[in-house]
Amino acid sequence: MEKKHKLPLSLGGLFVALGVVYGDIGTSPMYVMRALIDGNGGLAAISDEFIIGVVSLVFWTVTLLTTVKYVMLALEADNNNEGGIFALYTLVRKAGKFIIVPAMIGGAALLADGVLTPAVTVTTAIEGLRGIPLFYETFGENQAIIIEITITILATLFFVQRFGTEKIGRTFGPVMFCWFLFLGVMGLSNIPLNFGILRAINPLHAIHILFSDANGMGIFVLGNIFLATTGAEALYSDMGHVGKGNIRWSWPYVFTCLMLNYMGQGAWVMSARHNPTILANSDGLNPFFAIMPDALLIFGVLFATIAAIIASQSLITGSFSLVSEAMKLKLLPRLKITYPGKGIGQSYIPAVNLLLWLMTTCVVLGFKTSSHMEAAYGLSITVTMLMTTFLLWTYLRQRGVSLLFSNLVLVIFGPIEAVFLISSLKKFFHGGYVAVGIACLILTLMYIWHHASMLQEEASVDVSLRKYLPQIQRLHEDALLPYYQDNVVFLVPQLDGDVIPRQYVYSILDKKPKRAKVYWFVHITVTDRPYTQEYTVDMLDTDFVVVVNLYLGYKIPQRINVYMRQIITALMEDGRLPKQPQRYTSIPGREVGDFRFIFISEELSALTNFSHWDREVMRAKQTIKRYTVTPESWFGLQFSEVTRETVPLAIGRQNTSFLTERKH
């Protein structure tokens, strides 16, 4: 039955939400204000009008995109209490084949964003060490030491993933609670420096600054403003881990602390503009660390580093979940997954962990400073948000929500995010091409895998299993042949009633006649719900053929050997299958025989005549498969009897040549 994965509102749940959901958005104050000041010419070039305007933009951007779109609207689009762009896709995929396109684009962009986030947050935190006199006297402006410390922290973070971070994760909630409290207190203590910053609450200042001469960046200022809300998509994706109630009740605390910090930084900057000492030493100035008292600076740097690590950890875990869901939905090839925690909730994908570590390290080495990384950061996530808006609109229309309301969602958020995307395009030439390139690579991989799978399904020749039952029964009863195995199990990619691909019947009767006590034809349907664990059985009025449909949620491991043992035991207990007593066994009273799982792989036929593009896509998929996890590992059959067979894959019109007899 379907697992109920609803997490109720509780004090513990609120702390878990603080530790899991808000890492990315909670570390944004470390670099947003600095990016805005540097982008407008530095501390000496800005005005009070500019500071009030950009803080107002931050306030209303986070309010509209994070609070209204995600906390109020998107959390309602849950798939059995699971969220994220792929969960949303499974809710609306029946709307049409085209709906896979925004899901793939959004998923690829979200994964690409995961490369930059750890690099930006950890580097920014470590750069705060320069504000400590002892550190500055020792190393000065030497960026090499910052890079070395950052790379060491990131290497350690990625290395410990294989051991599981469940125990460490329990401390994340209280730590992040204190982190947000620290942000709020630091901001609140600086607001009295210039109470004029409170005018930023008025949205007119946000609109005015976009067209004011005080803003030298024009509309492109939104590219840096957007950095304040980059964690909003993660908020939706992590709903399944913490529950929507816990997110909604913890968000006001987080929002308040964040806005107090932004306003505190703004008030400090407005005051610092008139301080000649600060102006003379404003190169590399970061208001986030500057608002801290000297006595608290080393504590603030350490705290910021811990928060950056937590943010990176949450993002890494989210990447594992995202890739795992994409694999179950047949959007990415199968990769090895392990579960180092006590439950299946925490997955670990070695290949993804390695690639993330290598690419994040390359980003740190390539960009060197956090300010350079910020110039490239946020471009890809705007694409994800835009795709989520379209899918959310589709969901609202599918659910029968009024046309006026659903169209308002599209009309309001679509243009806003489109403007943010346009303003972020400037980042493409300042390093944004890195995130875009990574997203394009992931998207290409998704396209190859999805399109090739569709081609294979179209090429499949299906037959009725009932038509061949008389032959299979004679083989089953043929005492002249030894048993190939007690139970022969075929995992079939398509199953419609008793209709299966022809190669499975061919394998039993033609390739090598396989006499067995029971023939199993198992098909796995990945359900729209994440935690489904159900099955149906059709024995076609026999006691030697079993057609099984396994319905597994997209978050459930496909451990076929475990499920098969459960199903055969249940059928024997019901008297629907004869028992299979074993004459020689180390298990007393064993009444279930042995199993052999047969995988039939398709190799591209040289006789196939179809478009050059489709042929190259199929070849690309075949090449990729060589470097992915084996079916045995994916289905948990490493210690089971497995046989692999190969059949030619013929798609499209066949190139047929005929021999001519030579006459003597």
Side-chain angles (χ1 to χ4, degrees):
M1 295 297 291
E2 177 75 11
K3 274 187 182 178
K4 298 298 179 185
H5 196 62
K6 186 174 182 179
L7 294 169
L9 177 67
S10 66
L11 181 61
L14 292 172
F15 274 107
V16 172
L18 288 171
V20 172
V21 175
Y22 302 114
D24 194 357
I25 201 168
T27 52
S28 295
M30 291 196 296
Y31 46 78
V32 170
M33 189 62 69
R34 182 184 63 184
L36 288 166
I37 294 172
D38 291 347
N40 207 52
L43 190 63
I46 60 173
S47 63
D48 288 358
E49 179 188 352
F50 175 79
I51 292 300
I52 293 171
V54 295
V55 171
S56 184
L57 279 171
V58 168
F59 180 89
W60 287 105
T61 296
V62 176
T63 297
L64 286 174
L65 293 187
T66 308
T67 305
V68 178
K69 177 186 171 182
Y70 284 97
V71 176
M72 296 176 65
L73 293 177
L75 291 185
E76 286 302 308
D78 68 293
N79 186 351
N80 196 41
N81 303 298
E82 289 289 331
I85 193 163
F86 286 139
L88 184 56
Y89 159 68
T90 58
L91 289 173
V92 300
R93 58 181 170 180
K94 294 180 181 177
K97 291 183 178 180
F98 72 94
I99 213 72
I100 190 68
V101 176
M104 288 195 301
I105 293 173
L110 189 57
L111 283 170
D113 183 70
V115 175
L116 285 173
T117 299
V120 172
T121 53
V122 176
T123 305
T124 303
I126 300 304
E127 284 176 344
L129 289 170
R130 289 208 182 101
I132 300 170
L134 180 61
F135 183 90
Y136 190 80
E137 290 170 8
T138 306
F139 299 104
E141 296 292 334
N142 183 8
Q143 187 67 16
I145 188 64
I146 300 293
I147 293 174
E148 289 171 11
I149 296 172
T150 300
I151 288 177
T152 301
I153 290 173
L154 289 173
T156 304
L157 178 63
F158 282 103
F159 178 75
V160 300
Q161 298 302 314
R162 70 191 66 197
F163 305 111
T165 54
E166 200 169 26
K167 292 181 180 178
I168 301 174
R170 293 172 189 168
T171 65
F172 286 179
V175 170
M176 291 304 289
F177 174 83
C178 295
W179 168 252
F180 285 112
L181 181 62
F182 178 74
L183 292 180
V185 170
M186 287 297 100
L188 188 62
S189 65
N190 280 271
I191 288 176
L193 293 174
N194 195 321
F195 283 108
I197 194 64
L198 296 177
R199 288 184 289 163
I201 296 175
N202 185 344
L204 293 179
H205 289 287
I207 298 170
H208 172 73
I209 198 62
L210 290 175
F211 309 99
S212 171
D213 292 337
N215 171 24
M217 293 183 283
I219 195 175
F220 292 107
V221 73
L222 293 175
N224 289 330
I225 294 292
F226 187 77
L227 296 176
T229 193
T230 51
E233 189 71 33
L235 180 150
Y236 179 39
S237 299
D238 288 328
M239 175 169 55
H241 295 125
V242 299
K244 69 174 72 174
N246 292 311
I247 293 176
R248 282 179 169 159
W249 282 92
S250 59
W251 172 245
Y253 170 70
V254 172
F255 178 77
T256 302
C257 292
L258 288 173
M259 292 307 110
L260 284 174
N261 193 268
Y262 283 119
M263 288 190 176
Q265 289 189 52
W268 182 90
V269 171
M270 291 167 70
S271 173
R273 287 181 54 244
H274 307 290
N275 188 320
T277 303
I278 296 176
L279 281 174
N281 298 278
S282 61
D283 289 344
L285 177 72
N286 189 339
F288 176 78
F289 292 107
I291 67 173
M292 300 178 191
D294 292 341
L296 288 179
L297 187 57
I298 187 169
F299 171 77
V301 172
L302 291 173
F303 212 169
T305 303
I306 293 171
I309 291 171
I310 291 175
S312 301
Q313 172 60 48
S314 299
L315 188 138
I316 294 167
T317 302
S319 297
F320 293 157
S321 298
L322 197 66
V323 171
S324 178
E325 291 167 17
M327 287 190 289
K328 302 284 178 60
L329 294 171
K330 297 182 180 179
L331 297 178
L332 284 176
R334 293 168 181 163
L335 300 171
K336 181 182 179 181
I337 304 178
T338 62
Y339 300 89
K342 291 181 179 178
I344 65 169
Q346 186 191 21
S347 59
Y348 168 65
I349 307 178
V352 173
N353 191 65
L354 178 62
L355 287 172
L356 275 177
W357 171 56
L358 291 175
M359 288 189 290
T360 301
T361 302
C362 288
V363 166
V364 174
L365 292 172
F367 287 94
K368 292 183 172 58
T369 67
S370 61
S371 58
H372 290 157
M373 297 175 203
E374 290 155 17
Y377 189 39
L379 175 57
S380 61
I381 200 67
T382 58
V383 176
T384 301
M385 285 191 172
L386 203 53
M387 297 302 104
T388 299
T389 295
F390 176 76
L391 293 175
L392 185 60
W393 172 77
T394 307
Y395 169 79
L396 293 173
R397 297 295 304 124
Q398 201 173 71
R399 289 292 298 269
V401 175
S402 71
L403 185 64
L404 175 62
F405 182 79
S406 56
N407 284 344
L408 273 176
V409 170
L410 185 64
V411 169
I412 291 173
F413 294 110
I416 289 174
E417 289 164 349
V419 170
F420 273 111
L421 176 60
I422 293 168
S423 63
S424 295
L425 288 176
K426 181 182 178 182
K427 295 185 175 187
F428 182 85
F429 301 103
H430 297 279
Y433 56 84
V434 174
V436 172
I438 295 171
C440 288
L441 284 174
I442 297 170
L443 184 60
T444 300
L445 182 58
M446 285 183 173
Y447 170 78
I448 289 171
W449 206 257
H450 177 71
H451 185 61
S453 298
M454 293 300 99
L455 287 174
Q456 287 177 270
E457 287 184 14
E458 292 172 6
S460 177
V461 177
D462 298 331
V463 297
S464 170
L465 193 56
R466 287 186 183 274
K467 177 182 176 181
Y468 294 93
L469 280 182
Q471 288 193 65
I472 295 175
Q473 182 173 5
R474 286 198 299 273
L475 176 61
H476 162 70
E477 297 172 349
D478 191 349
L480 296 178
L481 287 175
Y483 280 116
Y484 181 76
Q485 207 85 9
D486 290 337
N487 298 279
V488 175
V489 183
F490 295 93
L491 274 76
V492 296
Q494 295 100 35
L495 182 62
D496 183 12
D498 69 322
V499 177
I500 63 172
R502 184 173 58 187
Q503 59 259 38
Y504 295 93
V505 175
Y506 179 86
S507 175
I508 295 173
L509 300 176
D510 298 274
K511 193 144 192 175
K512 178 182 179 181
K514 298 177 176 65
R515 186 187 177 206
K517 293 180 180 178
V518 182
Y519 300 93
W520 300 80
F521 300 90
V522 181
H523 175 65
I524 300 171
T525 298
V526 179
T527 67
D528 291 350
R529 297 192 171 198
Y531 293 98
T532 305
Q533 287 178 282
E534 299 175 340
Y535 71 92
T536 60
V537 168
D538 184 0
M539 300 185 63
L540 305 182
D541 302 318
T542 73
D543 64 354
F544 58 87
V545 171
V546 185
V547 178
V548 178
N549 262 305
L550 277 174
Y551 299 93
L552 302 177
Y554 61 85
K555 282 184 175 284
I556 296 297
Q558 298 179 6
R559 295 170 178 156
I560 302 303
N561 60 330
V562 175
Y563 302 135
M564 290 301 300
R565 294 284 175 179
Q566 294 174 2
I567 294 170
I568 194 172
T569 300
L571 291 176
M572 287 179 176
E573 288 177 353
D574 291 344
R576 299 168 69 184
L577 268 186
K579 294 182 178 179
Q580 302 169 353
Q582 300 298 294
R583 187 171 183 181
Y584 303 104
T585 177
S586 61
I587 304 172
R590 178 180 171 185
E591 294 179 325
V592 176
D594 49 9
F595 285 79
R596 180 173 291 275
F597 297 85
I598 298 179
F599 292 100
I600 299 179
S601 60
E602 297 171 313
E603 296 292 336
L604 194 61
S605 172
L607 299 177
T608 301
N609 181 20
F610 60 115
S611 74
H612 176 74
W613 178 256
D614 287 345
R615 179 180 290 277
E616 293 306 314
V617 167
M618 289 302 305
R619 284 177 174 168
K621 181 180 180 180
Q622 303 254 335
T623 301
I624 294 168
K625 283 179 71 175
R626 296 172 192 163
Y627 302 98
T628 59
V629 69
T630 63
E632 294 93 322
S633 297
W634 179 261
F635 293 111
L637 302 174
Q638 300 94 321
F639 306 107
S640 302
E641 294 289 335
V642 174
T643 296
R644 291 192 180 202
E645 296 181 354
T646 304
V647 296
L649 175 62
I651 302 175
R653 183 171 56 85
Q654 302 299 298
N655 280 326
T656 306
S657 57
F658 297 94
L659 291 174
T660 301
E661 182 181 1
R662 178 180 292 180
K663 302 296 184 180
H664 294 288

